[in-house]
Amino acid sequence: MRYNERAFDLRGAALAQDEAGRATAAKLREQAKQECDAAQLALLGPDKYHHMEEYVRTLPLRNVVLGVAGPAALEGVPLTMEQSEGLVQAALGGIADARTLGGVQLAQQVDWAALDRAAQTFLTPEQFRLFKTVAPMSGFESRWTQQVNAEIRRATGGEPSRP
């Protein structure tokens, strides 16, 4: 938490600086990140720290899953933890460079057709229907948001989209 506050303050301070001031703020942000990482590593140990890093790296994919988990629970067909993790792992499995990408880049590269094929093997028919059709009215992004953004990137000369 302290790191986030410090990084936010440094980003704000950098806005009012010249090039040298912005460079100094960037160095201070990097130093704060290294201090935070070292403290987390010391607290958690190497195995738990790397597990946490992987979790954070895959949050955009997990948020897509959370976007369907709530409606599934309300419909009386909740996802199990194994099904939720299965969706995340199936999404990662369809991304050629999943180990090197992080954050939003992961969600942008999902092969939705491959994910749908995998999801049908462990979701119930009702859960799969929700997974294919739900557009959550929450802060979580849906598959539709990701697919529309991919089409826009493709149409404007960005990376190719996937169906």
Side-chain angles (χ1 to χ4, degrees):
M1 186 69 148
R2 188 179 307 167
Y3 163 71
N4 288 338
E5 292 172 359
R6 189 169 171 195
F8 185 76
D9 288 346
L10 286 167
R11 271 192 292 277
L15 294 173
Q17 301 296 315
D18 60 11
E19 190 63 34
R22 286 190 296 275
T24 300
K27 286 179 187 174
L28 289 171
R29 274 195 320 272
E30 181 57 32
Q31 179 184 352
K33 181 178 181 345
Q34 289 174 0
E35 289 170 5
C36 179
D37 290 347
Q40 289 175 334
L41 181 60
L43 177 68
L44 298 173
D47 290 340
K48 289 180 182 175
Y49 176 78
H50 292 299
H51 183 74
M52 179 200 66
E53 279 187 319
E54 180 66 8
Y55 180 84
V56 169
R57 188 181 73 82
T58 60
L59 269 175
L61 290 177
R62 294 176 185 284
N63 285 340
V64 171
V65 172
L66 283 172
V68 76
L74 292 174
E75 291 286 325
V77 289
L79 300 178
T80 65
M81 186 176 294
E82 291 79 15
Q83 288 172 315
S84 295
E85 188 62 24
L87 287 171
V88 171
Q89 294 307 315
L92 287 170
I95 302 172
D97 48 357
R99 292 317 243 159
T100 60
L101 295 175
V104 175
Q105 292 173 323
L106 277 174
Q108 292 173 346
Q109 297 298 316
V110 170
D111 181 341
W112 291 99
L115 177 54
D116 287 345
R117 286 189 300 277
Q120 284 182 301
T121 67
F122 57 83
L123 296 180
T124 67
E126 186 61 20
Q127 289 171 327
F128 183 69
R129 182 191 65 76
L130 287 169
F131 179 64
K132 289 275 294 184
T133 61
V134 74
M137 299 300 290
S138 68
F140 302 117
E141 287 196 8
S142 70
R143 67 182 291 144
W144 303 111
T145 303
Q146 293 297 333
Q147 288 175 306
V148 166
N149 288 341
E151 286 301 317
I152 291 169
R153 284 190 305 280
R154 184 192 60 73
T156 59
E159 67 226 29
S161 66
R162 296 182 176 172

